[in-house]
């Protein structure tokens, strides 16, 4: 939701924006967080089990589907039966029930698969909402959370976090053990960026992350490629230790060497993810600042992931980059246009001739007018023409 008003010659928008920060809880707060993760997972799984039991008594699928109020009201009944649920944030338990209702709704609308039970190893997250200012900033780097008290965090967003109206917060723990806080803030002021009167065509690729129509290339860090050797070694070590633990009939969660190897694999995956995210955020912001109109191909990335180039496409994260460009352009008063990708790499941007023989690798030479250019730059120019 975006509300806007004019202030002088600039447009000021009030938007709902999410911020993700690193959390640094104490040992006692970590124990409370782990307990809350477990309780929200228990509520989700228990209500899902009850819904499945109800399904057995009904012939029509939607007849056994409880309403949102039924799910939420069931939480109070569970707290009477299971006393340990009273020790954690009650709003987080209600949010878990609402998440299950949403999962069922998406299933019946054919948007998702049938809801699954949450595993202990993969489900370490919960959401709580602001009620009577129970979520508020004490200082720039300290926030008060329900049942946790004051928690230290890394705030790299300045006053946008402390001055906005916090709606909800999601606390999660990633596989490498780090805790993160995602805050949804309402009424965050955003100003339109100054107009540059420059338009740009962008051709996404693998040899270069992006080729611009003015001849500039953006190079991705290729995080997976650089850390792949270390990741393979860490995964082999983990596989050997798991096999040895099973051979010696030891529980995996009690094997310290297995857990150390798992942490090493998780840390490498987190490193790859953070390097990639950092590049995508900075590149998308720089493009939105520099150009008024950005033209890109309307690629079906999901279908392209079925090809032999799936690994490189996943490492480049084209879909996430396009999403970032879209919402940042909406925020800052810029425009993103999507064009048909057909024949953009085979068409000469000078004479318009379309020939498969025009392109040879990364070189483009028109068979009709003999115009020469870099193949990706030529494609970016065609994308910009199509957008116009």
């Amino acid at each position: 939701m975006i509300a806007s008003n004019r202030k002088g010659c600039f447009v000021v928008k009030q938007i709902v924006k999410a911020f993700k920060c690193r959390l640094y809880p104490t040992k006692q707060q970590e124990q409370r967080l782990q307990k809350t993760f477990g309780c929200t997972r228990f509520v989700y799984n228990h209500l899902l089990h009850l819904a499945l039991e109800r399904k057995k008594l009904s012939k029509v699928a939607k007849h056994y589907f409880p309403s949102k109020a039924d799910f939420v009201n069931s939480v109070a009944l569970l707290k009477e039966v299971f006393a340990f649920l009273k020790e954690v944030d009650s709003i987080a338990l209600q949010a878990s029930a609402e998440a299950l209702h949403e999962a069922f709704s998406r299933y019946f609308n054919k948007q998702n698969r049938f809801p699954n039970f949450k595993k202990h190893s993969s489900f370490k997250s919960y959401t709580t909402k602001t009620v009577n200012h129970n979520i508020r900033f004490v200082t720039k780097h300290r926030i008060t959370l329900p049942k946790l008290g004051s928690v230290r965090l890394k705030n790299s967003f300045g006053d946008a976090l402390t001055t906005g109206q916090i709606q909800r917060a999601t606390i999660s723990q990633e596989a490498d053990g780090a805790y993160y806080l995602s805050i949804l803030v309402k009424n965050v002021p955003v100003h339109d960026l100054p107009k540059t009167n420059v338009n740009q065509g962008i051709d996404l690729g693998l040899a270069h992350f992006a080729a611009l129509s003015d001849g500039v290339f953006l190079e991705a860090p290729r995080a997976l490629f650089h850390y792949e050797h270390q990741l393979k070694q860490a995964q082999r070590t983990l596989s050997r230790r798991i096999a040895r633990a099973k051979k010696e009939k030891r529980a995996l969660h009690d094997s310290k060497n297995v857990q150390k190897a798992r942490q090493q694999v998780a840390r490498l995956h987190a490193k790859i993810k953070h390097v990639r995210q950092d590049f995508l955020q900075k590149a998308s912001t720089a493009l939105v600042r520099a150009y008024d109109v950005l033209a890109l191909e309307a690629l079906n990335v999901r279908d392209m992931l079925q090809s032999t180039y799936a690994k490189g496409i996943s490492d480049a994260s084209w879909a996430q980059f396009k999403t970032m460009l879209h919402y940042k352009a909406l925020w800052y008063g810029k425009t993103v246009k999507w064009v048909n990708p057909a024949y953009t790499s085979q068409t000469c941007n000078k004479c318009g001739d379309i020939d498969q023989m025009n392109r040879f690798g990364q070189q483009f030479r028109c068979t009709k007018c003999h115009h020469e250019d870099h193949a990706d730059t030529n494609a970016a120019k065609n994308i910009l023409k199509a957008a116009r």
Side-chain angles (χ1 to χ4, degrees):
M1 178 180 178
I2 296 181
S4 63
N5 62 293
R6 293 194 173 274
K7 184 179 180 181
C9 58
F10 295 99
V11 177
V12 182
K13 303 184 183 72
Q14 300 289 337
I15 68 172
V16 179
K17 193 173 183 180
F19 301 90
K20 191 172 183 179
C21 308
R22 176 76 181 270
L23 270 186
Y24 297 95
T26 63
K27 292 293 183 182
Q28 185 177 3
Q29 289 170 339
E30 283 189 31
Q31 294 176 0
R32 183 57 60 88
L33 284 172
Q34 294 299 328
K35 184 178 292 186
T36 308
F37 293 153
C39 290
T40 53
R41 182 175 61 250
F42 174 83
V43 168
Y44 187 98
N45 290 341
H46 194 84
L47 294 179
L48 177 57
H49 170 73
L50 294 179
L52 293 177
E53 290 296 320
R54 188 174 178 180
K55 177 184 177 182
K56 297 178 182 178
L57 305 176
S58 176
K59 295 181 179 179
V60 183
K62 288 191 177 181
H63 286 178
Y64 76 86
F65 176 59
S67 66
K68 184 176 181 180
D70 291 336
F71 277 123
V72 174
N73 293 335
S74 298
V75 175
L77 300 177
L78 288 178
K79 291 172 71 174
E80 295 298 327
V81 179
F82 304 99
F84 60 86
L85 295 178
K86 299 179 181 180
E87 301 176 10
V88 300
D89 183 12
S90 59
I91 301 177
L93 301 180
Q94 294 176 7
S96 183
E98 292 174 359
L100 179 59
H101 173 267
E102 179 66 20
F104 270 115
S105 298
R106 295 179 68 85
Y107 168 72
F108 287 125
N109 292 331
K110 298 182 179 180
Q111 295 175 303
N112 275 357
R113 296 180 180 179
F114 194 83
N116 293 324
F117 291 99
K118 301 299 183 182
K119 297 181 180 179
H120 176 271
S121 58
S122 59
F123 190 77
K124 291 189 175 182
S125 173
Y126 74 88
T127 299
T128 184
K129 300 178 183 178
T130 301
V131 178
N132 296 327
H133 301 286
N134 58 344
I135 304 175
R136 62 187 184 277
F137 275 87
V138 181
T139 63
K140 182 179 178 181
H141 296 285
R142 278 199 170 274
I143 188 171
T144 298
L145 296 172
K147 295 290 186 177
L148 293 177
S150 178
V151 189
R152 188 167 66 92
L153 80 163
K154 183 178 180 181
N155 179 9
S156 57
F157 302 102
D159 296 333
L161 276 177
T162 56
T163 58
Q165 180 183 346
I166 300 176
Q167 289 189 309
R168 64 171 61 94
T170 299
I171 297 95
S172 60
Q173 184 185 23
E174 295 193 352
D176 61 346
Y179 292 91
Y180 289 90
L181 175 67
S182 180
I183 314 173
L184 192 66
V185 183
K186 187 180 179 181
N187 298 331
V188 178
V190 176
H191 299 265
D192 278 0
L193 291 173
K195 299 297 183 181
T196 61
N197 298 321
V198 180
N199 303 335
Q200 193 68 264
I202 303 175
D203 178 62
L204 300 178
L206 296 179
H208 305 281
F209 175 78
L212 308 186
S213 54
D214 59 2
V216 177
F217 295 96
L218 299 181
E219 303 296 340
R222 302 180 67 189
L224 179 60
F225 174 79
H226 288 293
Y227 289 98
E228 188 173 17
H229 180 66
Q230 297 180 40
L231 187 59
K232 285 182 178 179
Q233 286 185 325
Q235 289 172 333
R236 289 193 192 105
T237 302
L238 176 60
S239 298
R240 287 196 301 267
R241 292 182 180 180
I242 289 177
R244 183 173 180 178
K246 289 182 177 179
K247 184 178 180 180
E248 297 175 357
K249 298 181 179 180
R250 290 184 286 111
L252 297 182
H253 62 272
D254 291 332
S255 176
K256 292 184 178 180
N257 287 334
V258 170
Q259 297 307 318
K260 287 180 181 179
R262 278 182 174 171
Q263 284 290 315
Q264 180 61 21
V265 172
R267 279 194 291 267
L268 287 171
H269 277 297
K271 179 68 174 179
I272 293 169
K273 174 186 173 182
H274 295 158
V275 169
R276 185 185 296 131
Q277 287 278 336
D278 181 69
F279 166 75
L280 294 176
Q281 291 285 2
K282 291 179 178 178
S284 58
T285 300
L287 288 172
V288 169
R289 287 183 180 278
Y291 307 107
D292 289 348
V293 177
L294 297 168
L296 294 92
E297 293 174 309
L299 299 174
N300 191 336
V301 180
R302 178 176 296 181
D303 289 346
M304 295 177 70
L305 289 175
Q306 308 302 320
S307 67
T308 55
Y309 302 103
K311 190 175 181 179
I313 295 172
S314 298
D315 193 19
S317 296
W318 290 345
Q320 194 171 16
F321 179 70
K322 291 164 64 177
T323 301
M324 290 180 180
L325 283 180
H326 177 74
Y327 70 73
K328 289 181 181 181
L330 186 64
W331 287 350
Y332 301 119
K334 300 302 180 73
T335 304
V336 175
K337 293 186 177 181
W338 310 102
V339 303
N340 189 345
Y343 307 111
T344 54
S345 62
Q346 301 174 12
T347 304
C348 177
N349 70 83
K350 292 295 184 181
C351 66
D353 178 61
I354 302 176
D355 190 346
Q356 188 176 1
M357 301 303 295
N358 284 344
R359 177 166 183 167
F360 183 76
Q362 295 188 11
Q363 296 300 318
F364 185 92
R365 188 174 189 275
C366 181
T367 57
K368 185 177 181 180
C369 69
H370 307 296
H371 168 68
E372 294 185 5
D373 202 347
H374 191 284
D376 294 337
T377 303
N378 175 79
K381 293 177 181 178
N382 290 328
I383 292 170
L384 182 59
K385 282 185 179 181
R388 288 172 175 166

